[in-house]
Amino acid sequence: MSAGEMESEWAGEPGKLIRDRYRAAAQLVKNRGVLSCLMINDLDAGIGRFGNTQMTVNNQMVVGTLMNLADNPTRVSIGQEWRDEDVVKRIPIIVTGNDFSTVWAPLIRDGRMDKFYWQPTREDILNIVYQMYRKDGLMKSEIEKIIDTFPNQALDFYGALRSRTYDSSILKWVSQIGGLAKLEENVLRKKKGEELPEFIAPEQTVESLIEAGESLVKEQRMVMEMRLSDVYMKKQEGTGPGIGFS
């Protein structure tokens, strides 16, 4: 499940959805004899409290459902009458998140939730990024150079380097086949049997990846330093009939 499924126009629907999928995972264990779990990505984005965000009925029911599953993992109701023989297998619930301090405290207390904080070491990052680029033929020493050039970056940053090199190559390829004006004609409107323009994937080199990294770092700095409010609305100071912004 994703955090986007924690809300619905129908009251109680997200809580019921969690129970349904929990029971489906339990049924999978019972019928097929394979391991299963319920995975919820970015739980804090769905039920966390950020600033002045409003707590909805569905948020409360999701919290209540998860607390009940933690306390009574083998008796899960989906609305039908209780039956003594209706006992399901206990299924692990694994949730991910960025800031669990925004989640209802009784849900994450010790005993209901075991918390694991992952903070990779430099060696961990090196091995993970090396696996990302292993098929590109880059050596571990080259990956180490990239990591040292851009320290203290998230893992997604190093994955985005390849995407940036591909984006640049695709834009050059579009320009070579006639530009955006003829992209539809040259790619989408080809008749059956006609050959499509060939796109050659870019070769990943340390130099191209570092160049892409410098572009990403520049964007990061712009986000951190640029205040668009100062650009769109000039500050007005002093008294007067106008509206003042500060």
Side-chain angles (χ1 to χ4, degrees), residues 18-225:
I18 292 174
R19 296 192 296 274
D20 284 338
R21 294 192 180 177
Y22 184 93
R23 289 179 64 95
Q27 200 68 23
L28 185 66
V29 174
K30 180 180 179 181
N31 294 342
R32 300 189 183 180
V34 296
L35 294 175
S36 183
C37 71
L38 174 60
M39 183 87 180
I40 305 177
N41 290 314
D42 298 314
L43 179 69
D44 57 323
I47 63 173
R49 301 294 298 275
F50 298 92
N52 296 320
T53 55
Q54 183 179 3
M55 173 68 78
T56 67
V57 172
N58 278 325
N59 293 152
Q60 294 175 333
M61 290 187 174
V62 166
V63 171
T65 296
L66 292 174
M67 290 175 66
N68 184 64
L69 289 175
D71 296 337
N72 300 285
T74 61
R75 302 299 299 269
V76 182
S77 169
I78 54 173
Q80 80 281 11
E81 293 183 2
W82 283 108
R83 293 173 295 181
D84 293 336
E85 67 276 10
D86 188 17
V87 177
V88 300
K89 297 287 186 181
R90 181 175 182 176
I91 297 298
I93 301 176
I94 302 173
V95 302
T96 64
N98 295 292
D99 186 1
F100 278 96
S101 66
T102 63
V103 178
W104 177 244
L107 175 61
I108 65 172
R109 70 165 173 78
D110 298 333
R112 281 203 179 102
M113 179 186 290
D114 292 328
K115 295 163 283 293
F116 304 93
Y117 180 67
W118 185 59
Q119 189 173 15
T121 63
R122 185 183 183 278
E123 189 66 23
D124 292 334
I125 294 175
L126 176 60
N127 290 328
I128 294 171
V129 178
Y130 173 65
Q131 292 300 324
M132 288 182 185
Y133 290 94
R134 192 172 184 178
K135 292 183 179 179
D136 296 313
L138 294 180
M139 300 177 63
K140 209 165 189 176
S141 58
E142 294 175 315
I143 299 299
E144 193 169 8
K145 182 179 179 181
I146 294 173
I147 292 175
D148 291 337
T149 305
F150 306 105
N152 303 321
Q153 291 285 354
L155 280 172
D156 289 341
F157 175 87
Y158 303 108
L161 300 182
R162 179 196 277 112
S163 300
R164 182 56 60 94
T165 59
Y166 268 86
D167 290 344
S168 300
S169 297
I170 290 172
L171 288 175
K172 291 179 182 178
W173 173 73
V174 170
S175 178
Q176 291 171 357
I177 64 174
L180 291 173
K182 292 190 176 182
L183 182 63
E184 181 179 353
E185 177 184 343
N186 292 333
V187 177
L188 300 180
R189 292 190 178 182
K190 286 288 184 181
K191 296 181 180 179
K192 187 176 182 180
E194 292 183 343
E195 293 186 358
L196 292 171
E198 183 182 3
F199 172 73
I200 301 176
E203 180 182 358
Q204 301 296 340
T205 64
V206 176
E207 291 73 20
S208 63
L209 292 172
I210 289 179
E211 182 181 354
E214 290 173 347
S215 174
L216 290 174
V217 170
K218 183 178 179 181
E219 290 180 4
Q220 290 176 347
R221 289 173 181 166
M222 289 178 64
V223 171
M224 297 297 294
E225 296 175 1

